[in-house]
Amino acid sequence: MNFKKNDLVEVTIEDCGVNGEGIGKVDGYTLFVKGAIMGDVVNARITKPTKNYAYARVENIITESKDRVAATCPVASSCGGCQIQEMSYKAQLEFKRNKVFNNITRIGGITDFKIHDTIGMDNPFRYRNKSQYPVGLDKNGEIVMGFYAGRTHSIIPCDDCVIGDEINKDILNIVKSFMKENNITPYDETTGKGLVRHVLIRKGFKTGEIMVCLVINGKNLPNKEKLVESLLKITGMTSISININTENTNVILGQRVIDLYGEGYITDYIGLVKFHISPLSFYQVNPIQTHILYGKALEYAALTGKEIVWDLYCGVGTISLFLAKLAGKVYGVEIIPEAIADAKNNAKINNIGNAEFFVGKAEEVLPDFYAREQEKGNHMTADVIVVDPPRKGCDEKLLWTIIKMQPKRVVYVSCDSATLARDLKFLCGNGYRVVEVQPVDMFPHGVHVECVVLMSR
């Protein structure tokens, strides 16, 4: 099959790819079609052909899938955030369960395990407690705030994201008016000039406390007191700050924060555990589903009050503090010093005294700790080890140490089921088995899915 760029072909979509694209075949030639969902029959325009497959986009829909719905957001198809908003929510949950199941069976080679249906949300909108809006100019020289189009740094104007909080629109309008009235320019990535790069907004869903942080390409924000005065008219405004980022980088936040109003953090809760959240803090963006996710991890840990637990890649101690309430002792490990400082503070404000935190790479801290204990003649073990690694999964050195320590249970919290499957395969080849898997939908309308896996020795 010799398709060329811009060829138009009719294709029936029979599967869904890991990034939400529709997959269909024409005479055995595979097409990955952006904007199509399983069950659609579409005319697709070829955008990038190769020898064995091609990428394409929907030109028009001939027959709609039974699972196709109208997008709630007017820029859903162009914004890079909600790849599958035009798929019914029921179908989204099925897609995510299948994604996890297929990765574990195909990549991990594991078949004897129980997988539950994905736990979804009663209302899969307005769930994000954090939004980061890039700021720029449109072709008419007007200030725009929104989100990057998929795989680009072209800003799609959007001041009312339907998965973010409704208050964001009011905040963005205030910032935009402030910038216009004070002749403050947005940052331009190509020239490196201009001042305001991003607007970061956080909201405590239980406390109602709001944080606004402007990321600037400079050391000062002119007439900042006027911005503070305007933002304080919003109920719940607790923290206003600027973040200094003068680097030529795609990283959003710099390391220095200057508080303009408040104590530099907002407070929120996951369950009964209180957290202080600063502009630089890592904190899950969907607090409703986070409570469910961590509750499932706690259930799988099966704690009785005596166990030694290690929480690896612990972040600001969110899972650690959940576990500590029912464990004998919890050790948390995280590479980011600021996160460990937050974790220690969060333990303090919750009066939790049986959690200890270490700064460093989990794949170095745990093996070193284990080796030192062995030298002392202590066969240091753990009853439960919890891992919540980044998308790249666990380091093999860390997995070997887990195997040596022989915990009764390993609870694996994953944000990428492909690397999860790789790590499960390794652990299953060394004395562990997968008992059950629970996918949790942390990001409705996006393709990512988190899950919790219980393994036993």
Side-chain angles (χ1 to χ4, degrees), residues 134 147-156 189 198 249-252:
F147 300 101
Y148 294 128
R151 300 181 182 180
T152 77
H153 269 214
S154 174
I155 298 174
I156 304 296
E189 285 186 349
H198 281 80
T249 175
N250 290 336
V251 176
I252 292 174

Side-chain angles (χ1 to χ4, degrees), residues 206 268-275 291 322 325 350:
K206 283 201 176 179
D268 203 21
Y269 289 81
I270 300 175
L272 298 175
V273 182
K274 183 198 296 188
F275 295 94
H291 192 200
F322 260 62
K325 286 182 175 292
N350 285 281

Side-chain angles (χ1 to χ4, degrees), residues 64-97:
E64 286 193 353
S65 165
K66 64 178 176 57
D67 293 319
R68 179 171 282 280
V69 297
T72 301
C73 174
V75 297
S77 60
S78 52
C79 169
C82 291
Q83 303 95 333
I84 53 174
Q85 200 179 113
E86 292 177 301
M87 185 187 292
S88 74
Y89 192 51
K90 180 174 180 287
Q92 289 183 34
L93 297 178
E94 290 173 359
F95 159 68
K96 293 180 180 186
R97 180 191 184 276

Side-chain angles (χ1 to χ4, degrees), residues 338-364:
E338 293 82 3
I340 288 295
D342 282 346
K344 290 177 178 178
N345 182 60
N346 289 328
K348 183 179 178 181
I349 63 176
N350 285 281
N351 297 314
I352 292 173
N354 62 333
E356 188 175 343
F357 296 97
F358 301 93
V359 176
K361 293 181 179 179
E363 60 268 24
E364 294 175 0

Side-chain angles (χ1 to χ4, degrees), residues 131 133 145 159 165-179 199-203 209-214 227 230-240:
S131 296
Y133 293 86
M145 300 172 180
D159 60 4
D165 196 271
E166 290 171 299
I167 200 64
N168 293 353
K169 182 176 182 180
D170 295 336
I171 292 169
L172 293 180
N173 285 336
I174 287 172
V175 175
K176 194 180 296 184
S177 297
F178 164 76
M179 290 177 66
V199 181
L200 165 66
I201 305 170
R202 291 186 185 262
K203 183 175 181 181
E209 295 180 5
I210 298 169
M211 166 186 291
V212 176
C213 178
L214 266 62
L227 176 64
S230 298
L231 287 173
L232 286 177
K233 294 175 183 175
I234 292 178
T235 303
M237 190 61 61
T238 304
S239 172
I240 304 169

Side-chain angles (χ1 to χ4, degrees), residues 218-260:
K219 296 181 179 178
N220 185 44
L221 182 67
N223 300 320
K224 50 187 174 287
E225 63 283 348
K226 293 182 180 178
L227 176 64
V228 172
E229 183 182 349
S230 298
L231 287 173
L232 286 177
K233 294 175 183 175
I234 292 178
T235 303
M237 190 61 61
T238 304
S239 172
I240 304 169
S241 61
I242 54 175
N243 174 268
I244 310 300
N245 184 359
T246 56
E247 302 294 321
N248 182 14
T249 175
N250 290 336
V251 176
I252 292 174
L253 291 166
Q255 289 302 304
R256 188 180 171 209
V257 177
I258 300 172
D259 295 322
L260 305 181

